[in-house]
Amino acid sequence: KINTSGGSYNSLAIGPDGYPIIATYNNRATENQLEVIKCNTASCSSFASSSIKINTTGGYYNSLAIGPDGYPIIATYNFTANPNQLEVIKCNTASCSSFASSSIKIHADGGYWNSLAIGPDGYPIIATHNNTAVPEQLEIIKCNTSSCSSFASSSIKINTDGGDYNSLAIGPDGYPIIATINNSANPDQLEIIKCNTASCSSFASSSIKINTSGGYYNSLAIGPDGYPIIATLNDTANPEQLEVIKCNTSSCSSFASSSIKINTLGGYWN
């Protein structure tokens, strides 16, 4: 129980002791906050927690990974910065009772739909949403420090609108691969971005049409062959279904897919 309400915008990774560490949203704190839970058992029957105040409200769109020192690094949303911003939290303890943070202004508004992974240099790489680009775009942040106090960034235009529902992983070459939505395709489609640099200043992309609409609620991981595997929502199946995409190339220019029916409706929050 997180005060009197919580448990949204969750992200989980396994710490060096083999137990989970979770970033979540405490939406009944006096001012809505990020909450970090350090489990002391595999099922989290025992835990330590820390509330992290992001200015006056925050903790949305969390993505957590474990840094080389064994402590969490979290990308989250600073809701009350003016403009709204991406916030990166570098924890100095497993439960994040001590931390350093950096606010990253994405043009005039951003920090939604975050996905963070640790690059080969030990620093975070983050996929986020640039909300005020015209059109809205995917933004890649390559941090040069653990807390992202210094960084390089690239805006990626997905046709005329995109950058929501992001999921990022590091490929075998050390560069990011991202699943996102192309929500100005007709119909909406899943978009795979294969970066050729750490900040994604150069990339290859593939649009994947899932029946007549899809690409929401993405989760991407790298398979043993080095190619992405993606869980996404097939929005126009009847009923809506989970769709699994097995890429045969790094940019998913070739793939196999399977629709998975979950009772009568499913495929969200993958």
Side-chain angles (χ1 to χ4, degrees):
K1 182 178 175 181
I2 301 175
N3 286 357
T4 55
S5 181
S8 309
Y9 300 105
N10 304 311
S11 182
L12 179 151
I14 303 301
D17 60 0
Y19 300 143
I21 304 174
I22 306 151
T24 189
Y25 174 55
N26 180 341
N27 62 353
R28 290 298 176 90
T30 304
E31 294 162 339
N32 298 339
Q33 296 178 5
L34 171 67
E35 191 92 6
V36 180
I37 308 291
K38 168 62 183 79
C39 302
N40 298 322
T41 66
S43 64
C44 217
S45 55
S46 166
F47 62 89
S49 66
S50 301
S51 287
I52 298 174
K53 182 177 174 181
I54 315 281
N55 284 2
T56 56
T57 185
Y60 306 81
Y61 301 107
N62 302 311
S63 183
L64 180 151
I66 305 300
D69 60 0
Y71 299 142
I73 303 174
I74 305 154
T76 189
Y77 178 52
N78 182 335
F79 185 62
T80 52
N82 188 7
N84 298 336
Q85 296 178 8
L86 171 68
E87 192 91 6
V88 180
I89 307 291
K90 169 61 184 78
C91 302
N92 297 323
T93 67
S95 65
C96 219
S97 56
S98 167
F99 61 90
S101 67
S102 300
S103 287
I104 299 174
K105 183 177 174 181
I106 313 284
H107 294 263
D109 188 17
Y112 307 83
W113 302 112
N114 302 311
S115 183
L116 180 151
I118 305 301
D121 60 1
Y123 300 141
I125 303 175
I126 306 158
T128 191
H129 181 60
N130 180 339
N131 193 43
T132 51
V134 179
E136 295 178 7
Q137 296 178 8
L138 172 67
E139 191 92 5
I140 306 300
I141 307 290
K142 169 62 184 80
C143 302
N144 298 321
T145 67
S146 297
S147 65
C148 218
S149 56
S150 167
F151 61 90
S153 65
S154 301
S155 287
I156 299 175
K157 183 178 174 182
I158 314 275
N159 283 0
T160 56
D161 190 15
D164 301 328
Y165 302 104
N166 303 312
S167 183
L168 180 151
I170 306 300
D173 59 2
Y175 299 142
I177 303 174
I178 304 125
T180 189
I181 188 171
N182 179 342
N183 58 0
S184 58
N186 189 10
D188 293 346
Q189 296 179 11
L190 174 66
E191 189 93 4
I192 307 301
I193 307 290
K194 169 61 183 80
C195 302
N196 298 322
T197 67
S199 65
C200 218
S201 55
S202 167
F203 61 90
S205 64
S206 301
S207 286
I208 299 176
K209 183 177 176 182
I210 300 177
N211 285 0
T212 56
S213 181
Y216 306 82
Y217 302 106
N218 303 309
S219 182
L220 180 150
I222 305 301
D225 59 2
Y227 299 142
I229 303 172
I230 304 135
T232 190
L233 173 68
N234 180 336
D235 190 40
T236 51
N238 189 8
E240 295 174 356
Q241 296 178 11
L242 172 67
E243 190 92 5
V244 179
I245 308 288
K246 169 61 183 79
C247 302
N248 298 322
T249 68
S250 296
S251 65
C252 220
S253 55
S254 166
F255 62 90
S257 65
S258 301
S259 288
I260 300 175
K261 184 177 175 181
I262 302 176
N263 287 352
T264 56
L265 179 64
Y268 299 83
W269 305 110
N270 303 309

